[in-house]
């Protein structure tokens, strides 16, 4: 969690910026209320009233948490979620008036990290933000004691959440990084899909296809294919293993 901590000087109040938050909400009254509350809690807040403006904000002023309203005037909320998720791994909290379970599951599967149902209190939203920041600042799985994991030409910096492959930096999504780091912490060991779902996705149940898709994306970025694996090896009916090239 980033912080700005000036030197203590008599008469000068120490300021601590908790996080950079982007609010994408078209209702000016709701938006103003959230800005006032989160600013009071020491967050640095930017806003957008449309989906396209929100996407521009993500590109030009990368936030650490995004609060996304679904009822935007220019694009469908689900479509907006997918577009934002395609360009950033930043945690996204959906603000929605829809509380039907199938809709919530669909949004979580589409890339949302959490949701709040309108109307919600400032305390509720602040608690959700704090939980996401704690989760995103900690490394997943048992490898958290390490700083850098090195497997052959692959270097994974857990603190910076950066990956180098043969000296070249890879652009990975948050989930891709978590998956790669979890596998790399146990090289040569086959990890079951059930364990990956529990430890990386933090879900007790789900579709194995989600894991297969992320493995496929990772392979592409690692410069390999299922037919010609270099680091990632699928063991049919068992799981996935990261093994360095011989």
């Amino acid at each position: 969690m980033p912080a700005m901590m000036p030197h203590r000087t008599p008469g000068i109040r120490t300021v601590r910026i908790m996080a950079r938050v982007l609010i994408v909400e078209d209702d000016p009254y709701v938006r103003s209320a959230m800005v006032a509350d989160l600013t009071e809690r020491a967050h640095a807040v930017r806003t957008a009233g449309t989906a396209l403006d929100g996407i521009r904000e993500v590109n030009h002023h990368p936030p650490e948490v995004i609060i996304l309203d679904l009822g935007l005037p220019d694009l469908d909320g689900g479509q907006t979620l997918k577009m934002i998720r395609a360009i950033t791994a930043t945690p996204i909290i959906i603000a929605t008036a829809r509380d039907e379970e199938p809709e919530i599951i669909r949004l979580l599967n589409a890339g949302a990290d959490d949701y709040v149902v309108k109307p919600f209190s400032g305390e509720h939203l602040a608690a959700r933000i704090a939980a996401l920041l704690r989760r995103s600042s900690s490394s997943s799985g048992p490898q958290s004691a390490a700083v850098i994991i090195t497997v052959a030409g692959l270097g994974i910096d857990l603190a910076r959440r950066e990956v180098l492959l043969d000296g070249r930096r890879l652009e990975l999504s948050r989930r891709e990084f978590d998956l790669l780091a979890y596998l790399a912490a146990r090289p040569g060991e086959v990890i079951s899909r059930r364990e990956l779902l529990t430890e990386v996705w933090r879900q007790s149940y789900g579709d194995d296809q989600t894991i297969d898709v992320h493995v496929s994306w990772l392979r592409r970025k690692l410069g390999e294919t299922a037919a010609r694996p270099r680091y990632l090896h699928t063991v049919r009916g068992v799981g996935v293993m990261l093994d360095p090239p011989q």
Side-chain angles (χ1 to χ4, degrees), residues 11-123:
I12 302 297
R13 182 170 62 90
T14 297
V15 179
R16 183 172 187 267
I17 301 301
M18 299 294 290
R20 301 186 304 275
V21 180
L22 171 63
I23 299 172
V24 186
E25 163 69 60
D26 68 320
D27 188 318
Y29 298 103
V30 174
R31 192 167 63 235
S32 296
M34 284 196 286
V35 169
D37 187 82
L38 292 177
T39 301
E40 180 66 23
R41 297 173 192 274
H43 293 290
V45 185
R46 297 183 67 90
T47 66
T50 66
L52 294 180
D53 284 344
I55 292 169
R56 292 189 192 99
E57 282 288 332
V58 170
N59 277 318
H60 296 151
H61 306 281
E64 291 166 292
V65 178
I66 299 170
I67 302 166
L68 175 63
D69 174 44
L70 289 184
L72 298 171
D74 53 342
L75 291 175
D76 172 74
Q79 182 182 3
T80 305
L81 171 62
K82 289 181 180 179
M83 292 176 69
I84 292 178
R85 181 51 75 225
I87 61 174
T88 183
T90 299
I92 299 174
I93 300 175
I94 295 294
T96 176
R98 313 168 195 171
D99 59 356
E100 299 87 355
E101 184 176 2
E103 175 67 7
I104 290 170
I105 291 173
R106 183 183 70 83
L107 293 169
L108 291 173
N109 285 335
D113 295 273
D114 202 351
Y115 68 93
V116 288
V117 177
K118 295 180 178 180
F120 50 82
S121 66
E123 289 78 9

Side-chain angles (χ1 to χ4, degrees), residues 52-238:
L52 294 180
D53 284 344
I55 292 169
R56 292 189 192 99
E57 282 288 332
V58 170
N59 277 318
H60 296 151
H61 306 281
E64 291 166 292
V65 178
I66 299 170
I67 302 166
L68 175 63
D69 174 44
L70 289 184
L72 298 171
D74 53 342
L75 291 175
D76 172 74
Q79 182 182 3
T80 305
L81 171 62
K82 289 181 180 179
M83 292 176 69
I84 292 178
R85 181 51 75 225
I87 61 174
T88 183
T90 299
I92 299 174
I93 300 175
I94 295 294
T96 176
R98 313 168 195 171
D99 59 356
E100 299 87 355
E101 184 176 2
E103 175 67 7
I104 290 170
I105 291 173
R106 183 183 70 83
L107 293 169
L108 291 173
N109 285 335
D113 295 273
D114 202 351
Y115 68 93
V116 288
V117 177
K118 295 180 178 180
F120 50 82
S121 66
E123 289 78 9
H124 188 167
L125 180 60
R128 295 297 183 102
I129 291 174
L132 275 182
L133 291 173
R134 285 195 302 270
R135 194 184 311 162
S136 62
S137 65
S138 62
S139 300
S140 64
Q143 77 275 9
S144 57
V147 176
I148 297 177
I149 300 174
T150 303
V151 182
L154 196 61
I156 303 171
D157 189 324
L158 299 177
R160 294 177 177 270
R161 295 183 66 83
E162 293 180 352
V163 176
L164 295 180
L165 176 62
D166 300 327
R168 177 176 57 88
R169 182 175 176 178
L170 301 183
E171 294 296 331
L172 303 183
S173 71
R174 182 173 64 89
R175 193 72 77 193
E176 288 167 352
F177 178 91
D178 290 344
L179 174 59
L180 182 62
Y182 193 84
L183 293 171
R186 297 158 70 179
E189 181 178 344
V190 180
I191 311 298
S192 71
R193 285 177 168 79
R194 177 59 55 191
E195 180 176 343
L196 291 174
L197 198 63
T198 301
E199 298 299 329
V200 178
W201 270 260
R202 304 293 182 185
Q203 296 178 7
S204 56
Y205 63 92
D207 189 353
D208 286 355
Q209 186 177 5
T210 299
I211 296 173
D212 293 337
V213 168
H214 280 80
V215 168
S216 176
W217 289 342
L218 262 180
R219 278 200 172 112
R220 191 179 313 152
K221 293 180 180 181
L222 291 170
E224 60 184 64
T225 65
R228 287 175 164 268
R230 188 174 174 218
Y231 285 94
L232 300 180
H233 302 263
T234 300
V235 180
R236 183 180 292 274
V238 183

